[in-house]
């Protein structure tokens, strides 16, 4: 299933005896819950309860496909391994990036300048499944807004400034404050 980046991957395992009956005391079996995916493999934290259950949990922040394997005494438990896909969370303005800005830092009046922006979540995962709007404003040294553009994530905005001078570019996720 899907899990949003930063969410907890967690579960509880009911231990059973050799006849399939639920155990009601702490298990003596050796349990391992391991996660493999776009980050180095690691083991999830296990908690043994006195009611015959074992719970596991971990937090996944990097988007991509993972495999969760839960084993008891070296044997996969029912439902293991299980595929988990971590998807990007909500847009986080401070984590969004300028993807390309060829020749943006200097030029001549009448030259076109362009840049492309990429929406990202709080963990830096690229948000690509939907388009998000950024508001950009180009202003001169007198803080006069020269041009304002709405740019969709992954798309390119182009400015052609007609006056020489120093300009500032403000980029905000959503509407310009």
């Amino acid at each position: 299933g899907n899990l949003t980046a930063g969410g907890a991957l967690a579960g509880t395992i009911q231990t059973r005896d050799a006849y399939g009956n639920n155990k009601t005391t702490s298990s003596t079996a050796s349990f391992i819950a391991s996660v493999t995916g776009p980050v180095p493999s690691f083991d999830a934290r296990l908690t043994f309860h006195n009611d015959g259950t074992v719970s596991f949990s971990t937090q996944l922040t990097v988007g991509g496909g993972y495999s969760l394997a839960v084993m008891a005494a070296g044997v996969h438990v029912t439902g293991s391994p299980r595929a988990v896909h971590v998807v990007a969370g909500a847009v986080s303005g401070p984590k969004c990036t300028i993807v390309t800005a060829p020749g943006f830092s200097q030029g001549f009046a009448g030259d076109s300048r362009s840049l492309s922006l990429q929406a990202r979540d709080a963990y830096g995962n690229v948000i690509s499944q939907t388009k998000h709007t950024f508001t950009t404003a180009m202003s001169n040294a007198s803080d006069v807004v020269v041009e304002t553009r709405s740019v969709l994530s992954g798309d390119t905005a182009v400015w052609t400034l007609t006056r020489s001078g120093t300009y500032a570019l403000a980029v905000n996720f959503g509407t310009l404050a």
Side-chain angles (χ1 to χ4, degrees):
N2 283 349
L3 177 69
T4 300
L9 176 60
T12 301
I13 303 157
Q14 173 64 58
T15 60
R16 301 184 191 283
D17 64 19
Y19 303 103
N21 299 308
N22 288 350
K23 287 187 175 183
T24 57
T25 59
S26 185
S27 175
T28 58
S30 169
F31 280 88
I32 296 174
S34 61
V35 180
T36 57
V39 296
S41 298
F42 62 94
D43 292 339
R45 187 181 68 236
L46 296 173
T47 304
F48 293 84
H49 305 282
N50 288 325
D51 61 359
T53 61
V54 179
S55 59
F56 62 90
S57 68
T58 190
Q59 182 184 34
L60 300 176
T61 59
V62 177
Y66 290 82
S67 177
L68 167 66
V70 180
M71 301 177 83
V75 177
H76 283 283
V77 300
T78 303
S80 172
R82 174 170 291 182
V84 177
H85 189 77
V86 176
V87 297
V91 174
S92 173
K95 293 290 185 171
C96 296
T97 56
I98 295 175
V99 179
T100 58
F104 200 79
S105 62
Q106 54 182 295
F108 298 98
D111 287 352
S112 294
R113 294 289 176 256
S114 63
L115 67 86
S116 177
L117 302 166
Q118 180 63 64
R120 295 181 181 271
D121 70 6
Y123 302 99
N125 295 301
V126 171
I127 300 176
S128 59
Q129 67 269 30
T130 57
K131 294 283 189 174
H132 297 277
T133 302
F134 294 89
T135 301
T136 60
M138 184 72 72
S139 58
N140 63 17
S142 302
D143 287 332
V144 175
V145 173
V146 178
E147 292 191 52
T148 301
R149 299 252 198 273
S150 290
V151 184
L152 293 178
S153 178
D155 290 346
T156 301
V158 178
W159 288 269
T160 302
L161 300 175
T162 58
R163 298 184 61 184
S164 63
T166 301
Y167 291 85
L169 173 66
V171 179
N172 292 331
F173 174 70
T175 57
L176 196 61

